[in-house]
Structures are given as structure tokens and as C-alpha cells.
Amino acid sequence: MKNIVPSFELDGLKKLLEESGIQGVMKYTDVIVLNHLIERGVIPYQRDKMISTLKEDTDMDYSKIMDLVNKYDKWKKYLPSYSLQLNQKLDMINTKMDTVVPFRKINESMIGFVPDTKDRDKIKVMNGSRNHLIILGTVDKRDWSINWNENWIIQPEVNRYVIGEIKRLKKENWV
């Protein structure tokens, strides 16, 4: 019997495919999918076990399996790497916090947008990379301005990501 991939694995794969762009998806879909399944622990990362799993759980013939594994070996240094623990933490935080913008890994931070439970006109920008959530800033939905928490240094990549998401939310007129 073939392994069934859980639906939450497909959500993560969808995000990976979106980030790869159309050209990357069209050319390397097989390698991107294999990488995702390896990173999420569905397929072992050891070459011999990977080949064995692909033989047992797919309809691929041996030559296609070897072509894929060799292609993966060639391209794996360019593919994103993420741990099962990280993805489980992201899944848990997104579910628990009822996010407006799901938590995403931006450099060493996990940034997400969460509704402010005390003020419906505000959204908290949170960092979930540590043991407890840190409020990086608060977005006012009335004018889409952000008030940064002055107790934390905001990295440029995080700043660009947050501003981009605020612009996207404003454009969608999220209320």
C-alpha cells in the first residue's frame, strides 16, 4: 500500500512552489516535490533509503527513480532547507493564533500577523522564533500604519517583509 501524504504537507508544498516561480516550477517540479518530502520526513534523505522508498511507494521504474535522485543530488544545494520541527511549530502557531498572515520563516525569525484581541482595528506583528511570541509592532487597519516595538531591533529583511504584507493587506482592503 502506498503512503498517503497528509493534507498539511500539501499546504507547505504549495508555498514552496509559489516561491519557486513559474519557471522553477515548470523545470524542477519533480526535484522540488522530492526535496519537500525529504525535508518533511516523508521520504528518507539517505540515498539508498530514498531509492528504496521511491521503488516501493511509486509507480516509477528504476531508471526514472535514478534520474530523479541524480537530478536531486545535483540541485539540492540550491533548494530550500527546513526542518520538520520548524514546520510543526509554524503549523501549531498558525492554528493556535488564528493568523491574518500565517507565520513564515524570514531569516532567523518566524513572522506572522495576528488579530489584536483587545482592539479589532489592530493587527499584531509577531515573532514566534523564541520560546514565547514577541510583539514586533502593531498595524492600525484604519490607515495601515505600523507602530514598531522600540524594544526590539527589526532586521531589514523582516522590515521589508512586514511592509510588503501590509501593502498587500491594504490592497485587498482586509477588514
Side-chain angles (χ1 to χ4, degrees), residues 2-147:
K2 295 181 182 178
N3 290 339
I4 297 174
V5 179
S7 63
F8 65 86
E9 297 293 350
L10 299 175
D11 293 337
L13 180 58
K14 179 181 173 197
K15 288 180 185 181
L16 177 63
L17 293 173
E18 288 170 355
E19 291 173 6
S20 299
I22 293 172
Q23 186 175 0
V25 170
M26 297 305 291
K27 192 169 185 178
Y28 301 109
T29 299
D30 54 350
V31 175
I32 292 170
V33 171
L34 179 60
N35 181 66
H36 177 76
L37 294 173
I38 291 168
E39 290 289 333
R40 293 291 277 171
V42 176
I43 295 177
Y45 67 90
Q46 300 92 340
R47 185 179 171 90
D48 57 335
K49 291 181 181 177
M50 182 188 319
I51 293 167
S52 175
T53 301
L54 291 171
K55 274 190 209 175
E56 293 170 15
D57 293 338
T58 70
D59 295 332
M60 296 170 67
D61 63 39
Y62 185 73
S63 67
K64 288 196 186 285
I65 290 172
M66 292 312 299
D67 287 344
L68 175 59
V69 170
N70 290 332
K71 189 175 174 184
Y72 170 75
D73 285 341
K74 180 180 175 183
W75 288 101
K76 69 181 170 186
K77 64 183 173 188
Y78 303 109
L79 295 167
S81 177
Y82 45 97
S83 69
L84 179 61
Q85 180 182 12
L86 169 65
N87 280 294
Q88 287 174 334
K89 185 173 182 178
L90 288 170
D91 293 342
M92 181 207 52
I93 291 172
N94 285 329
T95 303
K96 180 180 174 185
M97 299 302 295
D98 190 29
T99 57
V100 175
V101 176
F103 280 81
R104 264 184 89 169
K105 187 162 177 54
I106 307 296
N107 285 348
E108 298 304 314
S109 302
M110 289 194 311
I111 308 300
F113 291 54
V114 178
D116 189 326
T117 56
K118 296 177 184 171
D119 186 345
R120 292 179 30 170
D121 289 328
K122 300 204 176 184
I123 302 170
K124 294 179 185 176
V125 178
M126 310 288 281
N127 182 348
S129 61
R130 302 198 178 176
N131 290 335
H132 27 287
L133 294 169
I134 299 166
I135 300 173
L136 297 179
T138 305
V139 177
D140 188 330
K141 294 189 300 187
R142 293 173 290 218
D143 61 1
W144 297 100
S145 62
I146 184 162
N147 183 17

